[in-house]
Amino acid sequence: MPNISVGTLGSWSLIIGPVLAVVCYLIQPGVMLIEPADPSNARETIRALMGNPTLSQITAMLIPLGLIMFLFGMNVIGSSVTGNGEGLYRYGGQLFLIAIVGWTIGSALNGAIGGMTGPQAGAVAGAVYAVGDAIGTIAGIVGAIGVICYGLALSARDGFNRNAALIVALAALVALVTTVWGAMDSSFRETGTMIGGIFFVIASAWSVMLGLGLRKSA
């Protein structure tokens, strides 16, 4: 195990990481599959998180882990991206790193809400949710721009599926628009969350493709 190559570790990170993050995102209480709630309704989401404390805390830990694995895999690919597309790719990496920091903080706050008990838990959870939601929104905007950069950079290089990269870049652009829209119009938040989930699935499928391609060359 200590002798595992960077390419092999990067390929498995691209294959496993995003899938882990997306699955945990979808089953996180209050999101889509487990007691889905309108994200603009803090009370509904908090009730879902507090009603499923174990699942809330497990997903809060695994989502950032999956995203970090994805970033590592993209950094491994980035080591071979020189010349055409290099600048845009590196820019995307910086943006996505910042997004992961935000998502990790937001995820930790959701896990904290899930573990809250006592008579004052509801009031405290409301404040914690508001902070986490704001951080998550900004992280979503920054992360979407980062993926757009990734997609556009790889679409201009040989050895990568140009159409797939452009589709991911387009999906990230849609996610960016819907995230900004949801931040400005709370009535659109629920629809925006659903669109964001679709984007994450598309990005995960692309990541698996990149991981399989990297594995062949590792």
Side-chain angles (χ1 to χ4, degrees), residues 28-201:
Q28 187 176 53
V31 180
M32 288 192 178
L33 301 180
I34 309 297
E35 296 187 36
D38 183 348
S40 64
N41 188 325
R43 182 173 298 179
E44 286 185 7
T45 306
I46 291 170
R47 185 185 299 116
L49 290 168
M50 295 179 69
N52 301 273
T54 300
L55 185 59
S56 297
Q57 292 171 343
I58 290 175
T59 54
M61 290 185 286
L62 294 181
I63 290 173
L65 176 61
L67 293 172
I68 291 169
M69 292 173 68
F70 170 74
L71 180 61
F72 175 79
M74 294 303 286
N75 285 343
V76 172
I77 288 179
S79 64
S80 64
V81 178
T82 57
N84 191 25
E86 180 181 5
L88 196 57
Y89 193 93
R90 291 180 181 274
Y91 199 74
Q94 294 296 315
L95 289 168
F96 203 81
L97 173 61
I98 294 171
I100 287 179
V101 173
W103 280 322
T104 299
I105 295 172
S107 191
L109 293 176
N110 281 340
I113 291 173
M116 289 182 180
T117 57
Q120 301 300 320
V124 175
V128 173
Y129 177 78
V131 173
D133 185 55
I135 293 173
T137 298
I138 298 301
I141 293 171
V142 175
I145 298 173
V147 174
I148 291 172
C149 293
Y150 275 148
L152 293 178
L154 293 185
S155 71
R157 295 189 59 85
D158 295 332
F160 297 96
N161 189 315
R162 182 174 185 272
N163 291 334
L166 289 176
I167 288 173
V168 169
L170 178 60
L173 177 60
V174 173
L176 171 63
V177 172
T178 56
T179 302
V180 173
W181 187 354
M184 299 174 64
D185 182 2
S186 61
S187 65
F188 186 74
R189 289 290 302 280
E190 189 169 12
T191 302
T193 298
M194 295 177 61
I195 295 174
I198 295 172
F199 159 66
F200 290 140
V201 171

